[in-house]
Amino acid sequence: MRTYLVTGGAGFIGSNYIHYMFRKYGDQIRIINVDKLTYAGNLENLKDIEDRDNYTFIRADICDSEAISKIFEENDIERVVHFAAESHVDRSIKNPEVFVKTNVLGTLVMLNAAKAAWELPDGSFKPDHKFLHVSTDEVYGSLEEDGGYFYETTPYAPHSPYSASKASSDMLVKAYMDTYHFPANITNCSNNYGPYQFPEKLIPLIINNALHGKKLPVYGDGKNVRDWLFVEDHCKGIDMVQEKGRLFETYNIGGHNERQNIQIIHIILDTLREMLSDSDPRRALVSDDLITYVEDRKGHDRRYAIAPDKIKAEVGWYPETKFEDGIRKTIAWYFEHEDWMKNVTSGDYQKYYEDMYSGR
Ligand code: NAD
Ligand code: DAU
């Protein structure tokens, strides 16, 4: 039975990935989920699979080399899928240090532990043992409004402390591949949306605020463009890259779904109005009047867009979910998980929200 080590599996994409993998492979695989459980990690995301015999959760910091090495010593890990990171751009602008620690040093710890466990005396690596580093399209910088795409060959030009830290971690993975022939892939993907996303990110924040009749903060002129990808499509892409992709290659994973932020907000408002019945008290709260233009994000990248040509040609992956379907599924999930949202927005979230938005 193949063993996967998933880092950051209690976060948004990681928990979706673990669900996806158990749906796809059932009892044929074993997953060890290593997560520090920061504000973004939530074991509620994994409630329905936590009792499986082929699933283990270990609370550990990826910067803790002893703890991580022990996991490799005690298990024959054949696949690493490395999600764990500080992931929110706005937080990185306020507090960059933890981004460098987790995203850069934590990735180095993961690489060293896997290398030590997998390297054979002649310097080659155990066959069929692979590391996949999950990264972002933000490493490529910002595109002009009127055209162009990010390709795997686009030079790195990160702007935020978050994207600079992710770019550094990508460079470390590339360095390990070039120097040691370490068996890895890098995937750089566009903005994900879907179930279990923490409401600091645009889509769940807008859904939650609209349902409570709270202001919908739009940074700048609202015309920044992101390329939205349904999270389940992303999880499928990661698995396909590990199984069908060429080792040592980078693959960009994008939704082919560019939208301005203000368009996203209007789609969410329209979809909420369609999905809420007239008798639902929340329907009266959902209003375009909640849209509030606020001070722009510092260094706000204008446009991201991926042409996912390489992954389509080499791996056969393409983004299957149309945005109109994905956003309905997402909103339906938030309707069905009101308690999840209540739990994550109590306590520390209130303080975060005040700090981030009161001055805007
Ligand atoms: P998230 O913030 O929802 O989850 C991150 C997880 O990592 C949490 O469970 C957290 O507890 C854990 N974690 C943080 N620091 C840790 C540490 N030091 N040790 C162990 N665990 C730690 O993030 P996400 O949105 O699921 O993103 C996952 C990965 O995908 C990240 O590497 C991110 O850079 C990348 N990515 C995300 C998106 C997106 O749209 N969300 C797009 C492109 C790439
Ligand atoms: O492109 C991939 C990246 O997508 C990932 O690497 C990051 O981990 C992920 O957080 C995401 O980064 P963004 O900064 O693009 O996502 P966010 O949801 O924070 O913002 C999306 C857009 O919406 C961006 O242009 C900023 C804007 N925005 C965001 C918030 C939270 C607003 O206008 N208002 C808001 O309140």
Side-chain angles (χ1 to χ4, degrees), residues 197-260:
Q197 190 168 27
F198 191 79
E200 64 189 352
K201 307 283 164 58
L202 181 72
I203 287 184
L205 186 144
I206 295 298
I207 295 171
N208 186 46
N209 281 17
L211 289 172
H212 290 91
K214 284 176 67 177
K215 282 183 185 172
L216 310 178
V218 185
Y219 297 168
D221 65 2
K223 292 186 180 162
N224 298 66
V225 171
R226 297 292 182 264
D227 177 1
W228 294 95
L229 172 66
F230 191 55
V231 65
E232 204 176 306
D233 290 349
H234 180 201
C235 295
K236 184 173 182 182
I238 288 172
D239 182 43
M240 287 176 78
V241 164
Q242 260 199 334
E243 296 320 309
K244 298 185 180 169
R246 283 183 296 142
L247 211 50
F248 311 115
E249 291 293 317
T250 288
Y251 292 93
N252 286 348
I253 309 184
H256 248 325
N257 178 40
E258 290 180 55
R259 315 269 173 159
Q260 292 178 341

Side-chain angles (χ1 to χ4, degrees), residues 102-175:
T102 290
N103 300 1
V104 186
L105 296 177
T107 298
L108 185 66
V109 167
M110 292 304 304
L111 290 167
N112 281 337
K115 179 174 173 290
W118 295 350
E119 199 167 21
L120 298 169
D122 67 356
S124 67
F125 286 87
K126 288 185 184 172
D128 203 33
H129 285 56
K130 300 177 185 179
F131 189 106
L132 189 141
H133 176 61
V134 179
S135 191
T136 170
D137 59 358
E138 298 198 14
V139 297
Y140 299 121
S142 184
L143 293 163
E144 296 300 320
E145 276 178 37
D146 53 355
Y149 291 100
F150 294 138
Y151 294 94
E152 288 78 0
T153 48
T154 303
Y156 275 31
H159 295 132
S160 72
Y162 162 71
S163 53
S165 70
K166 291 297 288 187
S168 311
S169 63
D170 292 12
M171 290 301 168
L172 281 170
V173 179
K174 285 176 202 275

Side-chain angles (χ1 to χ4, degrees), residues 309-330:
D309 300 350
K310 180 175 171 183
I311 189 171
K312 189 169 181 206
E314 291 190 10
V315 177
W317 178 92
Y318 64 96
E320 286 171 46
T321 309
K322 286 201 190 86
F323 188 70
E324 286 63 23
D325 298 333
I327 199 71
R328 286 185 83 87
K329 282 190 192 172
T330 304

